[in-house]
Amino acid sequence: MEGKFIVLEGIDGCGKTTQINALSKWLPKSGLINKNSTLIKTREPGGSILGREIRNMILKNNKLNSPSILTELLLYSADRAEHISKIILPALQNGHWIISDRFSGSTLAYQGYGREINIEIIKELENIVCQNIRPDLTFLLEISPEESILRRKNKVADRIESEGLEFLKKVNHGFKLIALENNWEIINASKDLNSISQQIQTSLINKFL
Ligand code: Z5A
């Protein structure tokens, strides 16, 4: 069996971390993964050693030293280039499975639709950075921007989370368009945790068994 690359996307607080934790318990027992293979849980930004430093640079809430939107785009791209070279590509070449909390769809949604950087420039950059690595399956966990804000009300917001409702609406709209254009699995993530997990598991079985 060959390695697979699965990605969960969505606006802040849509439940990616929760579902990835559930999946990492279920997948090894599912019969989908070869006995000699491992399941690797990772994320963007910050999936590699250098990426963790980049993550800190991008998300730190420092009004005096915020990156410009072009710098922000390039930092997310640098993080991804490192993540692919050091983590994703070697794992897939060795037949392992990867689940990533965010990937290039987030750049299109946040920097493209949210920050309004030209989408064609982002796609061009993605082609350079991704080295033909594309997820085998991407899930969009959909919640409303209002629910996103509600779910995070007791957490300290990072720099991107501090952008507020209007920004989140643009990102949310972007995610919907990207999901439709790329045949992502769209999941209603305002349902209860177990039914979301079940839906994800069913999609994985249908696609990979
Ligand atoms: N970003 C970007 O701009 N460009 C890029 O290219 C990339 C990223 C790759 C990374 O943030 C930020 O970088 C992100 C996008 C930007 N910006 N923002 N904002 P992050 O990785 O630190 O965090 P996040 O991805 O935004 O979200 P999160 O806070 O980690 O949320 P989550 O993982 O999607 O959700 P969760 O932690 O599983 O759940 C959130 C809460 O909801 C928690 O209290 C749960 O118990 C609750 N929850 C989860 N599921 C449910 C259900 N079904 N019902 C009710 N409550 C639930």
Side-chain angles (χ1 to χ4, degrees), residues 95-155:
H96 300 308
W97 282 50
I98 306 257
I99 313 181
S100 184
D101 186 334
R102 302 191 180 282
F103 190 62
S104 55
S106 281
T107 311
L108 270 176
Y110 283 86
Q111 280 62 53
Y113 289 89
R115 301 284 196 219
E116 301 182 13
I117 297 177
N118 186 307
I119 296 287
E120 294 313 313
I121 293 177
I122 296 181
K123 287 186 175 170
E124 192 70 38
L125 197 54
E126 182 183 335
N127 285 335
I128 298 167
V129 165
C130 288
Q131 305 172 51
N132 288 328
I133 297 290
R134 296 281 183 270
D136 293 290
L137 186 56
T138 300
F139 292 95
L140 175 64
L141 302 192
E142 256 199 331
I143 57 168
S144 67
E146 290 78 6
E147 190 167 351
S148 162
I149 287 173
L150 212 63
R151 281 190 189 179
R152 291 183 295 109
K153 71 173 188 299
N154 296 324
K155 276 179 66 185

Side-chain angles (χ1 to χ4, degrees), residues 10-19 43-45 55 59 72 76 79-80 101-104 106-108 110-111 147 151-152 155 158 160-161 189-193 196:
I11 57 173
D12 331 347
C14 64
K16 296 174 279 78
T17 312
T18 307
Q19 291 303 327
R43 68 172 176 178
E44 289 194 1
R55 180 183 173 90
L59 296 180
E72 181 183 278
Y76 279 116
D79 170 72
R80 183 160 308 120
D101 186 334
R102 302 191 180 282
F103 190 62
S104 55
S106 281
T107 311
L108 270 176
Y110 283 86
Q111 280 62 53
E147 190 167 351
R151 281 190 189 179
R152 291 183 295 109
K155 276 179 66 185
D158 65 37
I160 308 270
E161 286 165 349
S190 55
K191 291 190 184 165
D192 66 281
L193 299 179
I196 298 168

Side-chain angles (χ1 to χ4, degrees), residues 4-24:
K4 299 284 178 228
F5 179 26
I6 297 154
V7 173
L8 271 71
E9 293 276 16
I11 57 173
D12 331 347
C14 64
K16 296 174 279 78
T17 312
T18 307
Q19 291 303 327
I20 287 175
N21 288 339
L23 262 182
S24 64

